[in-house]
Amino acid sequence: MNKLAKEESQLKFEKIQNILGKENADAAIITSSVNQYWLCGFIFDGYLYITKEREPILFVRRPSDLIDDRIITIRKPEQIPDLLKEIGLLSPKRVFIEADQLTFNAANRLQAALEMPELLNISNIIRKIRSIKSVSELNQMRECADIHSEVYKLIPSLYRKGMSDLQLQIEIEREMRLHGSIGIFRSYGENMDIFMGSMLAGNNAQSASPYDYALGGKGISPLLPLGANGTILKPGTTLMVDMAGNYKPYMDDMSRTFVIEHAPDIAYKAHSISIEIHNEVKKQAKAGLLCSDIYSIAEDIVNSNGLQKYFMGTVQQAKFIGHGVGLEINEPPVITPRSNETLESGMAFALEPKFVLPNIGAVGIENTYIVHHDGIENITKFEEELIVLN
Amino acid sequence: MNKLAKEESQLKFEKIQNILGKENADAAIITSSVNQYWLCGFIFDGYLYITKEREPILFVRRPSDLIDDRIITIRKPEQIPDLLKEIGLLSPKRVFIEADQLTFNAANRLQAALEMPELLNISNIIRKIRSIKSVSELNQMRECADIHSEVYKLIPSLYRKGMSDLQLQIEIEREMRLHGSIGIFRSYGENMDIFMGSMLAGNNAQSASPYDYALGGKGISPLLPLGANGTILKPGTTLMVDMAGNYKPYMDDMSRTFVIEHAPDIAYKAHSISIEIHNEVKKQAKAGLLCSDIYSIAEDIVNSNGLQKYFMGTVQQAKFIGHGVGLEINEPPVITPRSNETLESGMAFALEPKFVLPNIGAVGIENTYIVHHDGIENITKFEEELIVLN
């Protein structure tokens, strides 16, 4: 790790230590990959043990070749009390765990191993801290969005007449991987599977899905009912491309809409309303704005254009029009009508006001914005108008 | 659902109901995608509520367009007691949940919503039941393995001199997707990420990883340290291909080893020992054999050839040489020295005795076998010898 990364890691540990102090807790134990990476810059199978007073301890089961002077090798959590004793520490009485990430069984085992401390949940606290990105994290997201644009630029050249949504998606996935996509597309929460993103063509955009994403799609497997389903790309319909911006550990999110040869006026109209919402939000948003106010801006524009019944779906309508982005695709804040979250400097969020038009398809755009004290910065700088595929 | 699928679903529910009877439990609540699919043939966001006496109830949050006469629409788990009351049921007192899959927080919330019943863990029980596959499940796995072979057959034609492991992997991934791969590669357990499988070239096969897979690899992201890392495919080294057999919900698992132009004799020697292990296991294995006996067969052959220090890794050696396969890539049984599991008719397991040779790479093969009362059936019928890439 370079000096800067070490300093940044140190600052993050201090934030967790502050939480321990405030909540009068003895330790925080971090086991999720995403939070281990956020704190350490690498991941391991084991327990990242943070106390108020001293350097973190890395109780590592695997990999065996990790080099770090904070490591104590471990086989099972039951060893923790003795290993703590050896370095002069008592078993903790109040412990933060990632209660929204650790399974019920793993948490119970850890609690028993630690001689039954009181358990507190640090999952949402860390998500909130992580929602304010560092300078280097934001730079990763900007680089990621630039690569994202490079790939989207290739879409017209990957398109062939008569292709299905899935065939085009496969060619896009290949370009994504050749441009450095790491493959895995991280989302938070239970049963939130996704693979490399989503493409919605024609009426497949109306299919409801079990997941908490903005739009659905039927998918090609009953075990992953989401996104492209083999719909042939037909003239007069639209294709919404919402593929992953997963080129760095820190991600961006971007959707663009393509028209197959031509589309009815209503598609152009609704798409321009999505852009209008972005433009209005860009004018008004800055640190301090309530997320619910962003929703209101969008809602007012949608209502005054009479497009409510197409907004964020038809059969099933999403309750949010935007979300934080970072190591995971669904971070805080969430942009909903009743969100009490506020934009803060250093946050990054995706805004995705979309319309689903029966017998045409989905339209609209999604950009990722970084929040500054005096405005928001669009990092997904790519053609926003409908793009015709011929 | 067709009639056969309905009957099969019914049989599975009866198995869960038997467990409820035996353990004197009032209900089982299934929330994981994989078990919902196994039981119902589809997934949803919500609670699959199984009791001893009656048809299962599907408390569904999403999708909104699911059609099934067992559905009761729900917003949150706190509604369950009232909804049960409406159909004449009391809140359960002893409840099975998937304690190895549900998060600590979600389980606690569910428990509170249900007026604090005693919680029991059904995760491993279902895994054990699922390890015995039905006729149609095994047929899916056979079909899957056939497609897997079709794709592996293309590998020599996808190879170009000077390619990296990753470049070749991307072309294989594309072919996998064109052949119907559903993308997502399901594994069980916390922090067990993987993307479409693993390719290990040269010394990258020695890199230890934090995951509980047979071999490691450095990967291209600190958040997914596994598999291909951009190693150039160099003459005199080997490439182990262990890409996903995820063409159906039910999967197979298969590894094959490729030689870049030529390889030292020791690579051919060690590879032939892996095949010898398979042949010996094929001779002896059938329903009733202890999994630890399979391990012993392999160990004896490895030891008598003096290859222990290369077996299943060098820096970090895996403790198992095989595992069940099905909806997830790591199902029971596990083939370890001290496994007390027994092969049963209808099980499917992958056997992967592999060697990692410093400065050469990994060698060996992995096949998936179906267990019958009188033997085992290899479903991954593809060239087993080292395949030269030129």
Side-chain angles (χ1 to χ4, degrees):
Chain A
M1 220 192 290
N2 62 35
K3 195 162 160 263
L4 202 68
K6 224 173 209 159
E7 273 171 23
E8 193 169 319
S9 175
Q10 188 51 39
L11 278 173
K12 290 173 179 173
F13 279 116
E14 281 167 19
K15 285 180 186 166
I16 306 295
Q17 289 172 321
N18 282 343
I19 303 290
L20 297 181
K22 248 183 6 203
E23 300 292 333
N24 200 22
D26 305 307
I29 298 180
I30 306 299
T31 47
S32 74
S33 295
V34 97
N35 287 333
Q36 285 183 353
Y37 173 77
W38 176 70
L39 282 159
C40 300
F42 54 85
I43 68 171
F44 57 93
D45 178 4
Y47 308 87
L48 173 56
Y49 192 90
I50 307 169
T51 60
K52 267 168 290 192
E53 302 81 13
R54 43 163 293 150
E55 274 227 306
I57 304 162
L58 282 55
F59 290 112
V60 175
R61 200 182 286 127
R62 262 186 306 245
S64 58
D65 59 355
L66 200 60
I67 297 168
D68 189 300
D69 52 21
R70 301 167 297 181
I71 289 176
I72 296 178
T73 302
I74 198 169
R75 282 188 333 279
K76 49 183 189 174
E78 288 73 16
Q79 295 173 273
I80 294 177
D82 283 346
L83 293 170
L84 287 175
K85 214 176 285 170
E86 282 173 28
I87 52 172
L89 291 176
L90 292 172
S91 281
K93 298 273 169 280
R94 272 168 70 86
V95 179
F96 273 108
I97 62 163
E98 296 162 288
D100 286 320
Q101 289 142 300
L102 209 57
T103 68
F104 185 66
N105 212 18
N108 283 335
R109 181 173 174 187
L110 187 58
Q111 188 179 28
L114 294 172
E115 295 152 9
M116 301 306 286
E118 188 185 343
L119 297 182
L120 310 163
N121 184 3
I122 204 162
S123 289
N124 275 323
I125 295 171
I126 294 191
R127 271 163 67 77
K128 197 160 163 44
I129 299 174
R130 267 177 35 204
S131 73
I132 314 286
K133 273 77 181 175
S134 73
V135 169
S136 71
E137 289 168 353
L138 293 174
N139 280 337
Q140 265 193 55
M141 293 184 66
R142 289 185 185 100
E143 285 169 39
C144 189
D146 286 345
I147 304 172
H148 207 160
S149 290
E150 288 301 312
V151 170
Y152 275 23
K153 207 175 287 175
L154 297 171
I155 293 174
S157 70
L158 298 172
Y159 170 76
R160 300 277 172 276
K161 264 185 215 298
M163 251 185 170
S164 72
D165 53 359
L166 197 64
Q167 285 171 322
L168 181 54
Q169 176 169 337
I170 292 169
E171 301 309 325
I172 298 173
E173 285 169 8
R174 176 173 174 274
E175 287 295 342
M176 288 169 66
R177 292 282 280 154
L178 289 172
H179 281 76
S181 162
I182 60 177
I184 282 248
F185 187 8
R186 288 179 192 282
S187 56
Y188 181 84
E190 294 173 292
N191 299 341
M192 283 294 282
D193 291 326
I194 188 167
F195 179 75
M196 293 292 271
S198 153
M199 311 247 298
L200 293 172
N203 272 341
N204 186 38
Q206 291 197 78
S207 301
S209 101
Y211 308 107
D212 194 16
Y213 296 112
L215 298 182
K218 222 176 153 49
I220 55 166
S221 165
L223 241 179
L224 187 61
L226 185 76
N229 70 334
T231 296
I232 299 297
L233 301 177
K234 234 178 43 195
T237 66
T238 62
L239 172 69
M240 160 98 42
V241 175
D242 188 1
M243 297 298 289
N246 57 353
Y247 300 93
K248 306 277 162 181
Y250 284 83
M251 303 189 287
D252 74 292
D253 203 357
M254 167 165 56
S255 306
R256 288 297 184 265
T257 304
F258 296 81
V259 156
I260 313 304
E261 298 186 24
H262 56 84
D265 289 346
I266 177 75
Y268 281 88
K269 169 74 192 300
H271 189 78
S272 75
I273 299 300
S274 171
I275 295 176
E276 189 184 326
I277 292 169
H278 279 273
N279 289 339
E280 195 53 39
V281 170
K282 274 190 266 186
K283 258 188 238 164
Q284 297 191 34
K286 58 183 177 183
L289 186 69
L290 274 168
C291 291
S292 56
D293 286 343
I294 299 177
Y295 195 93
S296 298
I297 293 170
E299 203 175 28
D300 288 348
I301 296 174
V302 170
N303 291 349
S304 68
N305 285 278
L307 290 170
Q308 301 92 307
K309 67 175 172 176
Y310 308 124
F311 194 48
M312 304 309 293
T314 52
V315 177
Q316 182 170 289
Q317 294 185 298
K319 305 279 184 295
F320 66 93
I321 57 163
H323 52 86
V325 193
L327 289 173
E328 291 167 318
I329 202 61
N330 51 345
E331 302 203 346
V334 191
I335 298 169
T336 64
R338 273 179 248 173
S339 168
N340 53 16
E341 292 171 295
T342 297
L343 293 185
E344 292 181 55
S345 194
M347 276 183 172
F349 71 96
L351 182 67
E352 50 179 330
K354 294 172 178 173
F355 299 91
V356 176
L357 306 170
N359 302 318
I360 300 170
V363 298
I365 60 167
E366 173 180 37
N367 283 331
T368 298
Y369 298 101
I370 291 174
V371 180
H372 298 289
H373 71 95
D374 58 350
I376 60 175
E377 169 197 348
N378 177 20
I379 63 169
T380 40
K381 290 169 297 222
F382 184 72
E383 176 64 51
E384 300 190 341
E385 300 295 333
L386 287 172
I387 301 165
V388 178
L389 298 180
N390 264 313
Chain B
M1 218 191 293
N2 61 37
K3 192 160 162 263
L4 202 69
K6 224 173 209 159
E7 274 171 22
E8 193 169 319
S9 175
Q10 187 51 38
L11 278 173
K12 291 174 180 174
F13 279 115
E14 281 167 19
K15 285 180 187 167
I16 305 296
Q17 287 172 322
N18 282 342
I19 302 291
L20 296 182
K22 246 183 10 204
E23 300 293 333
N24 199 20
D26 305 306
I29 299 180
I30 305 300
T31 46
S32 74
S33 295
V34 97
N35 287 333
Q36 284 183 353
Y37 173 76
W38 176 69
L39 283 159
C40 301
F42 55 85
I43 67 171
F44 57 92
D45 178 5
Y47 308 88
L48 173 56
Y49 192 90
I50 307 169
T51 60
K52 269 167 290 191
E53 302 80 13
R54 45 163 292 149
E55 275 228 305
I57 304 161
L58 282 55
F59 291 112
V60 175
R61 200 181 287 126
R62 262 186 305 245
S64 58
D65 58 356
L66 201 60
I67 297 167
D68 190 297
D69 52 22
R70 301 168 297 179
I71 289 176
I72 296 178
T73 301
I74 198 171
R75 281 187 338 275
K76 48 182 191 175
E78 288 72 18
Q79 296 174 274
I80 294 177
D82 283 345
L83 293 170
L84 287 175
K85 214 174 288 169
E86 283 172 26
I87 52 173
L89 291 176
L90 292 172
S91 282
K93 297 274 169 277
R94 271 167 72 84
V95 178
F96 273 108
I97 62 162
E98 296 162 288
D100 286 320
Q101 288 143 300
L102 208 58
T103 68
F104 185 66
N105 213 17
N108 283 335
R109 181 175 174 186
L110 187 57
Q111 189 179 26
L114 294 171
E115 295 152 11
M116 300 307 285
E118 188 184 345
L119 296 182
L120 309 162
N121 185 4
I122 204 162
S123 290
N124 276 322
I125 296 172
I126 293 191
R127 270 161 69 74
K128 198 160 162 44
I129 300 174
R130 265 177 34 203
S131 73
I132 315 286
K133 273 78 182 174
S134 72
V135 170
S136 70
E137 289 167 353
L138 292 174
N139 280 336
Q140 264 193 54
M141 294 183 66
R142 289 185 184 99
E143 285 168 38
C144 188
D146 286 345
I147 304 173
H148 207 161
S149 290
E150 288 301 312
V151 170
Y152 275 22
K153 208 174 285 174
L154 298 172
I155 293 175
S157 70
L158 298 171
Y159 170 76
R160 300 280 172 275
K161 263 186 216 301
M163 250 185 172
S164 71
D165 53 359
L166 197 64
Q167 285 169 321
L168 181 54
Q169 177 169 336
I170 291 168
E171 302 309 324
I172 298 172
E173 285 168 7
R174 176 173 173 275
E175 286 294 343
M176 290 168 66
R177 292 282 279 155
L178 289 172
H179 281 75
S181 161
I182 61 175
I184 282 248
F185 187 8
R186 287 178 193 281
S187 56
Y188 181 83
E190 293 173 294
N191 298 339
M192 283 294 282
D193 290 325
I194 189 166
F195 179 76
M196 292 292 271
S198 152
M199 310 247 298
L200 292 171
N203 273 340
N204 186 39
Q206 292 197 78
S207 302
S209 99
Y211 308 106
D212 194 16
Y213 296 112
L215 298 182
K218 224 176 153 44
I220 55 165
S221 165
L223 241 178
L224 186 62
L226 185 76
N229 70 335
T231 296
I232 298 297
L233 301 176
K234 233 176 45 192
T237 65
T238 62
L239 172 70
M240 160 98 43
V241 175
D242 189 1
M243 296 299 288
N246 57 354
Y247 301 93
K248 307 274 163 184
Y250 284 82
M251 304 189 286
D252 74 293
D253 203 357
M254 167 164 56
S255 306
R256 288 297 182 264
T257 303
F258 297 80
V259 155
I260 314 304
E261 297 186 24
H262 54 85
D265 290 347
I266 177 74
Y268 281 87
K269 170 74 192 302
H271 190 78
S272 73
I273 300 301
S274 171
I275 295 176
E276 192 183 324
I277 293 169
H278 279 273
N279 290 338
E280 196 53 40
V281 170
K282 275 189 265 186
K283 258 188 240 163
Q284 298 190 35
K286 58 183 178 185
L289 186 69
L290 273 168
C291 291
S292 56
D293 286 344
I294 300 178
Y295 195 94
S296 299
I297 294 170
E299 202 174 28
D300 289 348
I301 297 175
V302 170
N303 291 349
S304 67
N305 285 278
L307 289 171
Q308 303 90 308
K309 66 176 172 176
Y310 308 123
F311 193 49
M312 302 309 292
T314 52
V315 177
Q316 182 172 288
Q317 295 185 299
K319 306 280 184 291
F320 66 93
I321 59 163
H323 51 85
V325 194
L327 289 174
E328 292 169 317
I329 201 61
N330 52 345
E331 302 204 347
V334 191
I335 298 169
T336 64
R338 272 177 250 172
S339 168
N340 54 17
E341 292 170 295
T342 297
L343 292 186
E344 294 180 56
S345 194
M347 275 184 173
F349 70 97
L351 182 68
E352 50 177 331
K354 294 172 180 175
F355 300 92
V356 176
L357 306 170
N359 302 319
I360 299 170
V363 297
I365 60 166
E366 173 180 37
N367 283 332
T368 298
Y369 298 102
I370 291 174
V371 180
H372 298 289
H373 71 96
D374 58 350
I376 59 174
E377 167 196 351
N378 176 21
I379 62 169
T380 40
K381 291 167 296 219
F382 183 72
E383 175 64 52
E384 299 190 343
E385 300 295 332
L386 287 172
I387 300 164
V388 178
L389 298 180
N390 265 312

